[in-house]
Amino acid sequence: MISVLEATQIIEQHTPKPQSTIKSLSEAAGLVLARDYAASEDSPRFTNSAMDGFAVRCEDSLSGARLPIMDESSAGREAQSTLAPRTAIRISTGALLPLGADTIVPVEDCTVENGAITIQKTPVQGQFVRRQASEYACGALILRTGQELTPARVALAAQHGVAAIEVFTQPTVALLSTGNELVDVSETPAGTQIRNANVPMLTAAIRQTSACLVFTAHAEDDFEQVCAALDKAASAADVVVTTGGASVGEHDFIKQAAQTLGFETMFWRVRQKPGKPMFFATRILEGRTTLLFGLPGNPVSTLMTFLYYVRPTLARMMGKSTMERSVQAVLSADLANMHGRAEFARVRLKYEAGSEIPEAVPLPKQDSNMLTSMTEADGFVFLDIDAAVQSGSRVRVVLF
Ligand code: AMP
Ligand code: MG
């Protein structure tokens, strides 16, 4: 049996490098940029007004001055004339500053009567004028490789005419559940049957990563069936996630089926709780690498191992440094790990008014068959073998 650290390192070693592709801006949102982008024009593109008001010459505009309004410059429609001395041109936010003008008097700082303004407050030279290229000049680096395409970055790309953008591709994922006892959520279990919770759970978890789920199947505990389903899954996706059938039971066929299909076992069983019977294998076929995560069947173990191993792997394949979202918290009770296996201790976060960081409250029922240890929790604390963390200590909580 290997340690959590060893398992993590083996997975990292075998994770394929991110591949880049061109996508439309809307499809690329949330993905990671695979190249740098330079500004195609200055920002602002042209000198314009930061306020609704009047374009004037500062020297004409002492408090009490009366200036006739000669023209208008509105957004998208520039003034026809240049500004003559001792006159004003009405201007709106974002509209081109007329030639001859150097200052904006906002509507709040003047009165308007009979086609003229009277200045109420002497302006400062150049006020409310946004100069061309004052933010950055054409050619400046505006978006960088490795940045996630957030809504603001989508807007910046759009401003510069980048309609198709180079990002790292989303890995494709196939999902395979196993077990004679399982029925679909839409069916009523008879006798000792139970409903398949892992498929809907992992479908949701995969969706959160922005990877593409391209194949889902269920196989009975039958070697031929598992082989056939796994074969389809492996030819459909970059990453195959299976649940159940990875343990030592007579009916556990995932490892054997994987070997038959040409996968090489990288490890089986990890010193961790929950999730001990986890299995990891890889296959390189015609230059294409497929990763296989054989997760345990208990939904708690399935989700914990997915979050700890599969989620960061998918993130790395998309060029994200990690998808682990975590917060610092103060532990509300002692936590000790004497199981001889590393532990993912599930905690609830409590935010007290006035305190800077949340409290991490360990949940009492942590058995791997108790799904409420996940539904009532906000995340988990990683406790290594023999670790003892005292109440009041700072811990890092990885969020679900
Ligand atoms: P296994 O790893 O196949 O031995 O399964 C371990 C436990 O998880 C058993 O109690 C199974 O019934 C349960 N289990 C396996 N797969 C699922 C699933 N897809 N949904 C809910 N429970 C499952
Ligand atoms: Mg099973």
Side-chain angles (χ1 to χ4, degrees):
M1 220 183 327
I2 62 169
S3 70
V4 167
L5 182 64
E6 287 169 309
T8 310
Q9 287 170 342
I10 293 171
I11 294 169
E12 275 180 34
Q13 275 162 19
H14 291 92
T15 302
K17 298 267 168 297
Q19 303 289 312
S20 68
T21 185
I22 307 274
K23 284 192 184 275
S24 74
L25 256 190
S26 59
E27 282 178 328
L31 301 182
V32 174
L33 289 172
R35 54 159 278 200
D36 296 341
Y37 283 88
S40 62
E41 51 195 39
D42 295 339
S43 177
R45 222 157 81 78
F46 51 88
T47 300
N48 67 79
S49 173
M51 298 288 268
D52 288 326
F54 297 88
V56 296
R57 300 196 315 171
C58 192
E59 61 182 286
D60 297 341
S61 310
L62 289 177
S63 181
R66 187 170 181 281
L67 309 173
I69 305 166
M70 304 306 288
D71 198 349
E72 181 177 7
S73 176
S74 63
R77 201 161 295 182
E78 59 213 78
Q80 296 305 301
S81 44
T82 59
L83 183 81
R86 289 175 300 283
T87 68
I89 289 181
R90 189 185 293 275
I91 194 163
S92 40
T93 308
L96 179 77
L97 186 76
L99 273 176
D102 58 15
T103 299
I104 304 294
V105 173
V107 276
E108 294 86 343
D109 291 351
C110 61
T111 54
V112 185
E113 227 174 356
N114 301 328
I117 60 169
T118 304
I119 307 285
Q120 300 297 314
K121 186 177 164 200
T122 305
V124 175
Q125 166 93 34
Q127 72 176 26
F128 305 121
V129 173
R130 297 169 176 157
R131 288 277 156 214
Q132 179 172 351
S134 57
E135 186 185 8
Y136 52 81
C138 177
L141 187 62
I142 49 167
L143 294 166
R144 287 182 299 281
T145 305
Q147 288 182 325
E148 196 171 314
L149 206 49
T150 57
R153 292 179 183 138
V154 167
L156 194 58
Q159 276 184 347
H160 289 272
V162 185
I165 194 158
E166 196 172 330
V167 288
F168 291 117
T169 49
Q170 299 141 285
T172 50
V173 185
L175 191 51
L176 173 64
S177 63
T178 65
N180 292 334
E181 74 280 29
L182 299 170
V183 297
D184 187 77
V185 58
S186 58
E187 294 169 39
T188 306
T192 56
Q193 290 182 323
I194 57 168
R195 293 189 182 89
N196 189 335
N198 288 343
V199 163
M201 174 176 76
L202 290 180
T203 302
I206 291 163
R207 183 173 302 164
Q208 283 184 337
T209 67
S210 23
C212 287
L213 180 62
V214 292
F215 176 89
T216 305
H218 176 75
E220 300 277 305
D221 293 318
D222 166 83
F223 181 65
E224 301 298 328
Q225 243 196 67
V226 172
C227 273
L230 194 56
D231 192 19
K232 282 191 193 150
S235 44
D238 304 316
V239 176
V240 178
V241 179
T242 66
T243 77
S247 199
V248 290
E250 293 271 298
H251 305 283
D252 294 333
F253 294 118
I254 290 291
K255 298 189 297 293
Q256 211 184 322
Q259 275 153 17
T260 305
L261 294 170
F263 278 89
E264 189 185 343
T265 300
M266 293 300 158
F267 64 76
W268 173 51
R269 304 211 295 176
V270 183
R271 240 176 283 128
Q272 63 188 5
K273 186 179 174 332
K276 184 169 86 175
M278 182 183 162
F279 168 68
F280 177 66
T282 64
R283 183 173 79 172
I284 302 173
L285 198 64
E286 289 157 6
R288 212 183 117 236
T289 302
T290 307
L291 306 183
L292 167 57
F293 290 90
L295 307 184
N298 261 313
V300 172
S301 315
T302 314
L303 187 53
M304 274 311 317
T305 47
F306 179 89
L307 296 176
Y308 198 79
Y309 298 103
V310 187
R311 182 167 71 174
T313 301
L314 296 174
R316 243 176 265 121
M317 290 174 80
M318 283 182 263
K320 301 188 181 189
S321 58
T322 171
M323 206 172 285
E324 242 185 30
R325 300 164 305 152
S326 64
V327 293
Q328 290 280 322
V330 174
L331 202 59
S332 75
D334 294 347
L335 265 184
N337 174 10
M338 265 98 69
H339 306 290
R341 287 188 269 157
E343 195 178 341
F344 304 108
R346 278 133 277 158
V347 298
R348 193 161 44 87
L349 290 176
K350 222 168 106 186
Y351 291 87
E352 294 289 358
S355 75
E356 269 176 26
I357 71 172
E359 215 177 29
V361 184
L363 290 169
K365 294 178 180 173
Q366 302 249 347
D367 283 2
S368 69
N369 61 328
M370 296 177 174
L371 199 50
T372 50
S373 70
M374 302 293 283
T375 58
E376 297 299 311
D378 296 298
F380 64 90
V381 174
F382 178 77
L383 276 184
D384 216 342
I385 299 170
D386 296 332
V389 191
Q390 288 184 332
S391 170
S393 309
R394 280 211 181 197
V395 286
R396 190 170 70 95
V397 178
V398 179
L399 301 172
F400 283 158

